[in-house]
Amino acid sequence: MKREQGNAVRFGAVLAGLAAALCGMVALSVATGPMPVSLRDIARALLGGGDDAGSRVVLLLRLPRALLGVLVGGALASSGAAFQALLRNPLADPYILGVSGGAAVGALTATLFLSQNASFAVPPCAFAGAALSALVVFLLARKSKAATPERLILMGVVVGAFLNAVIMLMVSLSPPGKIPGVLYWLMGDLGHGTNTRVMILLPYVALGALALFLLARGLDLLLLGEEEAFHAGLDVERAKTMVYLVASLLAGSVVAVSGLIGFVGLIVPHAARTIVGSGHRRLLPAAFMMGGAFLVFSDLIARTVSPSGELPVGAVTALAGAPFFLVLLRGGGKRS
């Protein structure tokens, strides 16, 4: 009993530290930019006591962008943790099952074939494409009413390769001037963060993260193997279906707003496990906060490191994630 209480106290302290780090990263992001903003200006803007240019920059530009980074990074990290448990594969992330390719095809379709208000149509079309590709992968992977992790990965790779070919074909056949903006979006971009988009995305992320948290026991049992999970009383196929659909739609919802931001769902869950362990009731909240802080920090680097303009935030996360991926792959090879 005392040991459990001590573990709970330590976990509470860890969560409090992660929450403080996340809030500090958001404050740093809001304060940094061409127009300097102090913490006092931020506090005044949040309390409604300012109507100057600094307050408008905080409330209309930087704070929505930082909050969008928190939602996107947290959702991708949570989705990655779920996929790694579902597939029992430490190299899995939200894009391994074709979610990114489906979102990209949806975004390109909206841009190329909707001449008016294409910018407003890109997010819903990207979300629809991500959801449809996830559903196709799941249906193709079902064999005798069972979708094994191996078949899910295989079908995800096949569908992803097909969608990448469709993307290249659409880009090569597109008229000049239509594609550059979407290509930049496909590389990951938080620059379109507005209060409206944050409020629209918030319920999707909140409901998806809550659903994964409620599935935490099933995720813990799936890590043991499907046979062991079945003997422990888990409805394996139902749990796998729920985890797959929730994690895919959670990733697809944020891709529809931010574009394709890779490696967050791969590296953050591993970092969170080193702090809180592999139990998903602790891992999922920790991964969410660490993912949000990581993406906000990456976006801060993306918009400040280059004097000629902003970099795609997906390029920054890839630069950070690719070496980690190689180290993880090498370590996995040694253990094999």
Side-chain angles (χ1 to χ4, degrees):
M1 180 66 69
K2 290 183 178 180
R3 183 176 181 180
E4 292 180 358
Q5 291 177 347
N7 289 335
V9 171
R10 284 193 293 272
F11 177 62
V14 169
L15 282 187
L18 291 176
L22 177 59
C23 293
M25 193 57 64
V26 170
L28 178 63
S29 177
V30 173
T32 305
M35 179 179 179
V37 177
S38 66
L39 293 179
R40 181 180 297 179
D41 295 331
I42 297 175
R44 189 173 67 248
L46 294 178
L47 295 175
D51 192 26
D52 54 356
S55 298
R56 289 193 293 272
V57 167
V58 169
L59 295 177
L60 300 179
L61 296 177
R62 295 185 189 171
L63 183 60
R65 180 168 182 157
L67 294 178
L68 183 64
V70 172
L71 294 177
V72 172
L76 292 176
S78 300
S79 181
F83 276 128
Q84 288 168 10
L86 174 66
L87 303 176
R88 297 195 298 279
N89 187 334
L91 302 180
D93 75 348
Y95 302 121
I96 195 172
L97 299 177
V99 174
S100 61
V105 170
L108 286 171
T109 301
T111 301
L112 294 178
F113 298 106
L114 300 179
S115 58
Q116 295 180 350
N117 296 326
S119 61
F120 296 99
V122 166
C125 288
F127 177 77
L132 182 60
S133 63
L135 180 62
V136 168
V137 169
F138 185 76
L139 293 177
L140 290 175
R142 291 179 69 92
K143 185 179 182 181
S144 300
K145 298 184 180 180
T148 64
E150 293 78 11
R151 287 183 63 82
L152 279 171
I153 293 175
L154 179 61
M155 292 301 105
V157 171
V158 171
V159 172
F162 172 77
L163 291 174
N164 286 334
V166 172
I167 292 170
M168 288 188 290
L169 182 64
M170 294 175 73
V171 170
S172 62
L173 297 178
S174 300
K178 278 264 188 178
I179 295 303
V182 173
L183 289 180
Y184 189 88
W185 177 85
L186 290 177
M187 292 186 286
D189 181 23
L190 298 180
H192 297 292
T194 62
N195 290 311
T196 301
R197 289 195 173 186
V198 170
M199 294 306 297
I200 291 174
L201 183 62
L202 179 60
Y204 290 94
V205 174
L207 291 175
L210 176 61
L212 286 181
F213 183 79
L214 295 177
L215 294 167
R217 178 179 178 274
L219 289 169
D220 291 340
L221 293 176
L222 287 173
L223 280 177
L224 302 176
E226 293 184 12
E227 184 175 352
E228 290 79 1
F230 175 78
H231 289 304
L234 180 69
D235 187 340
V236 174
E237 290 307 315
R238 181 177 180 274
K240 287 165 53 180
T241 301
M242 292 296 296
V243 170
Y244 175 80
L245 293 178
V246 171
S248 296
L249 293 178
L250 182 60
S253 65
V254 297
V255 167
V257 175
S258 66
L260 307 183
I261 301 175
F263 289 99
V264 177
L266 172 66
I267 65 178
V268 173
H270 287 283
R273 285 189 192 94
T274 64
I275 299 175
V276 300
S278 58
H280 285 83
R281 287 190 179 274
R282 299 184 177 187
L283 175 62
L284 289 171
F288 188 96
M289 287 188 283
M290 292 180 68
F294 173 70
L295 190 56
V296 172
F297 179 68
S298 298
D299 183 59
L300 176 62
I301 294 176
R303 62 185 177 85
T304 58
V305 71
S306 175
S308 59
E310 293 185 9
L311 299 176
V313 67
V316 177
T317 59
L319 288 174
F324 180 89
F325 181 87
L326 293 176
V327 170
L328 183 65
L329 187 62
R330 183 179 181 184
K334 288 182 177 180
R335 286 192 296 271
S336 299

